[in-house]
Amino acid sequence: MLIARLIADTETLGDRLAVAMEEIEETGAEVVGAGMLDSNPDVLELEVDECDAATLRRVLDAHFPDADLLIADAPITLPGLFVSDMDSTMIGQECIDELADFAGLKAHIAAITERAMQGELDFAAALRERVGLLKGLSAATIEQCLDERIRPMDGAATLVRTLKAHGAHCVLVTGGFHAFADTVAAALGFDRVVGNRLAVEDGVLTGHVIGDIVDSTVKRAVLVEEAERLGEGVVSLATGDGANDIPMIRAATHGIAYRAKPKAREAATGRIDRGDLTAILDLYGIPRERWVTH
């Protein structure tokens, strides 16, 4: 049995749903249930039997390309573990690109960042190249960048605080830097931070990263480690937007791509393209009166 929940334009929902259900059943599958959630009446839930996830995803993508979506192979229950990327997921910026602007290198470094997030470059090599270009930049610029440039994504704090209030352990894991992530995590309510550390000497960046780089392998390992620590059967949720997040997204019970690059979107079992991060709470069926907004 597959469960699909989606949030779509209600004005056309009925017509599109009828066509999608007919197409699903033409594949030999059976739609055994369809209706709006009692707890969140903007969310449609479908129960589909004798269907594989790829087929269901194909049909829903065709008829609801603009919908926020989550597909699961078991009843959708709240996560006990939430692991998220930071840049362009929990915050609306790429920290290294904004930091590069203070060195007059934003366009050059942002182009490398984009290629890395699209999966066109090796992440670790691309990170070392970008950090190397920042050699000599004053470390004091980091605090200025945080204050002036870095802002949480819409709904980020409500998402983290609500999941925590419902029992989730929340981890921010980033290919970016502790110098930014520690502040972001504290503001949003994360329990743990995993990230890279910029080397600083005499008040300036040396152009190097201290220790091993947090890449896609490390992100996945953090999710697996935390899930094992929490115990067998824990439901895990991972969110991210780039190629570096794909292994983590695939390893989670529910992997949701947030306004993501095509490769990450394709790898995920869910996506948010339409709403802000609180759409995840809607997909989980958490009534809005139980959201933690402060």
Side-chain angles (χ1 to χ4, degrees), residues 227-239:
E228 290 177 348
R229 183 183 64 80
L230 291 169
E232 186 177 353
V234 67
V235 174
S236 58
L237 164 66
T239 59

Side-chain angles (χ1 to χ4, degrees), residues 17 37 67 131 137 160 179 290:
L17 177 59
L37 293 185
V131 171
L137 187 67
V160 177
R290 295 177 62 192

Side-chain angles (χ1 to χ4, degrees), residues 29-258:
E30 180 184 5
V31 179
V32 297
M36 311 307 285
L37 293 185
D38 291 338
S39 58
N40 297 68
D42 292 330
V43 180
L44 171 68
E45 181 173 274
L46 293 174
E47 297 180 30
V48 182
D49 204 5
E50 300 298 326
C51 186
D52 63 84
T55 298
L56 180 58
R57 174 74 175 265
R58 176 182 57 77
V59 174
L60 294 179
D61 282 350
H63 296 285
F64 300 96
D66 54 346
D68 295 338
L69 174 71
L70 177 60
I71 297 174
D73 58 5
I76 296 172
T77 57
L78 295 181
L81 172 63
F82 173 45
V83 181
S84 181
D85 173 47
M86 180 176 72
D87 294 39
S88 298
T89 304
M90 287 293 120
I91 60 174
Q93 301 76 36
E94 292 286 335
C95 288
I96 195 167
D97 296 354
E98 298 305 321
L99 193 59
D101 202 20
F102 289 89
L105 295 169
K106 184 173 182 178
H108 180 54
I109 285 181
I112 300 172
T113 300
E114 177 65 16
R115 291 186 65 198
M117 293 302 97
Q118 293 282 4
E120 298 172 4
L121 299 174
D122 175 76
F123 180 83
L127 183 66
R128 289 192 179 95
E129 179 182 358
R130 287 173 288 165
V131 171
L133 291 169
L134 298 179
K135 181 179 180 179
L137 187 67
S138 170
T141 306
I142 294 172
E143 192 66 33
Q144 183 181 358
C145 185
L146 264 168
D147 291 343
E148 296 180 3
R149 304 289 184 89
I150 306 305
R151 298 291 180 268
M153 196 70 78
D154 288 347
T158 297
L159 173 63
V160 177
R161 293 168 187 171
T162 301
L163 291 177
K164 281 187 68 172
H166 287 77
H169 178 67
C170 300
V171 181
L172 186 66
V173 57
T174 176
F177 311 107
H178 273 280
F180 292 95
D182 290 347
T183 298
V184 170
L188 298 181
F190 281 92
D191 300 300
R192 179 188 175 192
V193 184
V194 179
N196 297 301
R197 295 190 184 276
L198 290 165
V200 178
E201 289 182 7
D202 299 323
V204 300
L205 303 187
T206 69
H208 298 287
V209 176
I210 299 171
D212 295 335
I213 286 177
V214 176
D215 59 8
S216 61
T217 301
V218 174
K219 287 188 172 189
R220 183 187 185 280
V222 168
L223 184 138
V224 171
E225 167 200 320
E226 291 284 3
E228 290 177 348
R229 183 183 64 80
L230 291 169
E232 186 177 353
V234 67
V235 174
S236 58
L237 164 66
T239 59
D241 72 298
N244 194 40
D245 301 311
I246 289 174
M248 174 180 75
I249 285 172
R250 284 178 171 160
T253 311
H254 304 138
I256 295 182
Y258 183 73

